[in-house]
Amino acid sequence: MLKQERRKQIMNLLEKEGRIVATTLSQTLNVSEDTIRRDLREMDALGLLQRVHGGALPRSTSAVDYKERKRELMDVKHSLAVAALPLIKDGQVLLMDGSTTNIQLVKAFPKNLKVTVITNSPLITVALAEHDFVEVVSLGGTFRKESMVTVGQSVVDTLKQIRADLCFLGVYAIDPKIGMSIPLLEEMHIKSQMIKSASEVAAIVTAKKLNTSSTYTFSSANSLDWLITEEHVNETVLNAYREIGIEVITNK
C-alpha cells in the first residue's frame, strides 16, 4: 500500500472512530507498528492529527486568535452560556479566563446577580461594567493581544492566593483519556492554576472541541465537575465523560 493511500485510510478511520490506536491500525492496514508510528509522527507535523501516546486524536480546529474565535459559532456559544447560568448562585466567587464562551456567559448575567468575578480578561471586565452588583477583580500581567488575556508569573502567583467557589474554564481541546489541552504554553499555566484555585470547575465546550487534542495538556478531563455542550452530541461520546465523574449539561 502506498503511503498516500495509507494516510487517506488513517484519516478516514480517525474521522469515523474519533481516535486511532497504533497497534490496531497496524493490523487493520497490514503494516508494521513502526510504519504506523512514522506515519502518525509525519501527519502530526503536517497538522493533520494530534499524535498521542499509543495512537492519535483529531487535532482541534478551533481558532487561536481572538479576532477569529469571536466570530465562531456565536449563537451556539450564547445558547450554551444560558444553559450554564443555573450553576451560578448569589454570593459566589467566580474565576473566569478569557474564552469567548465566558464572555457570552457574563453578557447573559441577570442584572441583579451578586457575585465576585476574578478574571484575566479585560473584555470580561468591561462587559461587567454595567452590572452594579458584580464585583470585578482584574488579574494584572502581560497582555497577550492575540488572546486578549493577561498572562505571566504574576497572574499565576495571584491565583495561588485565591480560593474561588467556581471556575469557568475556556477549553481549546478536551478528550476523556488525554485531558484538556491548548496550543499556547503561557495560557496553559494560567488554566492549570485556575483549576487548583477553585472548589468546582465548569467548562462550556462547543461540540467540535470534544475528543480532540492539542500541544500542551494542562489537566485531566475529570478535573471538571460540569461539562456544558451541545445537545446533538452523540450519547456515546457524552457517556465517556460521564463515566469519569463529569456531569454533562446540554443546551436543550
Side-chain angles (χ1 to χ4, degrees):
M1 181 183 295
L2 296 175
K3 179 187 290 188
Q4 292 305 316
E5 294 174 348
R6 192 168 61 246
R7 290 185 176 182
K8 183 177 180 180
Q9 290 202 36
I10 289 172
M11 292 304 297
N12 288 340
L13 285 168
L14 186 58
E15 182 178 357
K16 180 181 177 181
E17 303 294 336
R19 66 173 63 239
I20 49 179
V21 178
T23 53
T24 304
L25 196 57
S26 69
Q27 295 169 6
T28 301
L29 300 182
N30 196 29
V31 294
S32 70
E33 287 187 38
D34 285 342
T35 297
I36 292 299
R37 291 193 182 95
R38 183 168 58 252
D39 282 341
L40 297 182
R41 185 166 56 251
E42 292 174 358
M43 293 170 75
D44 180 287
L46 291 170
L48 300 174
L49 48 74
Q50 183 71 44
R51 191 163 63 100
V52 297
H53 181 70
L57 290 173
R59 182 181 289 271
S60 177
T61 58
S62 298
V64 176
D65 188 274
Y66 178 81
K67 291 179 182 178
E68 296 179 41
R69 286 190 290 125
K70 73 177 183 179
R71 293 191 292 265
E72 289 183 333
L73 304 170
M74 293 316 295
D75 290 343
V76 173
K77 291 177 181 179
H78 173 74
S79 175
L80 293 174
V82 171
L85 279 176
L87 298 178
I88 302 172
K89 311 297 180 186
D90 277 347
Q92 286 182 321
V93 176
L94 308 177
L95 268 178
M96 305 182 76
D97 65 7
S99 72
T100 51
T101 50
N102 280 348
I103 292 172
Q104 290 299 310
L105 179 59
V106 299
K107 286 181 177 180
F109 277 7
K111 288 296 184 181
N112 61 348
L113 183 65
K114 300 175 182 178
V115 295
T116 298
V117 173
I118 304 171
T119 183
N120 67 330
S121 167
L123 295 177
I124 288 179
T125 300
V126 171
L128 290 171
E130 296 183 6
H131 284 261
D132 294 338
F133 303 110
V134 177
E135 181 179 353
V136 183
V137 178
S138 183
L139 297 169
T142 301
F143 182 55
R144 194 177 190 281
K145 295 179 182 178
E146 295 85 351
S147 304
M148 300 294 284
V149 293
T150 56
V151 297
Q153 190 60 45
S154 62
V155 179
V156 174
D157 290 342
T158 303
L159 285 168
K160 288 178 180 179
Q161 307 304 314
I162 292 169
R163 193 61 185 171
D165 297 298
L166 175 59
C167 172
F168 280 97
L169 192 71
V171 172
Y172 181 84
I174 182 171
D175 179 81
K177 294 182 178 179
I178 301 301
M180 295 180 280
S181 53
I182 191 170
L184 304 168
L185 181 61
E186 288 179 308
E187 291 187 42
M188 176 195 77
H189 297 304
I190 305 297
K191 291 178 184 291
S192 177
Q193 186 57 51
M194 280 190 169
I195 290 171
K196 296 173 184 175
S197 297
S199 297
E200 296 178 302
V201 184
I204 304 171
V205 183
T206 53
K208 72 174 187 174
K209 296 181 179 181
L210 298 172
N211 294 4
T212 65
S213 183
S214 188
T215 309
Y216 301 106
T217 300
F218 58 86
S219 184
S220 61
N222 64 5
S223 296
L224 295 180
D225 296 281
W226 292 283
L227 174 68
I228 303 96
T229 193
E230 298 173 62
E231 64 175 336
H232 65 78
V233 177
N234 187 287
E235 281 296 309
T236 301
V237 173
L238 297 182
N239 284 338
Y241 293 93
R242 294 186 179 109
E243 288 169 2
I244 58 175
I246 302 172
E247 183 176 342
V248 176
I249 299 171
T250 59
N251 59 339
K252 293 181 180 179

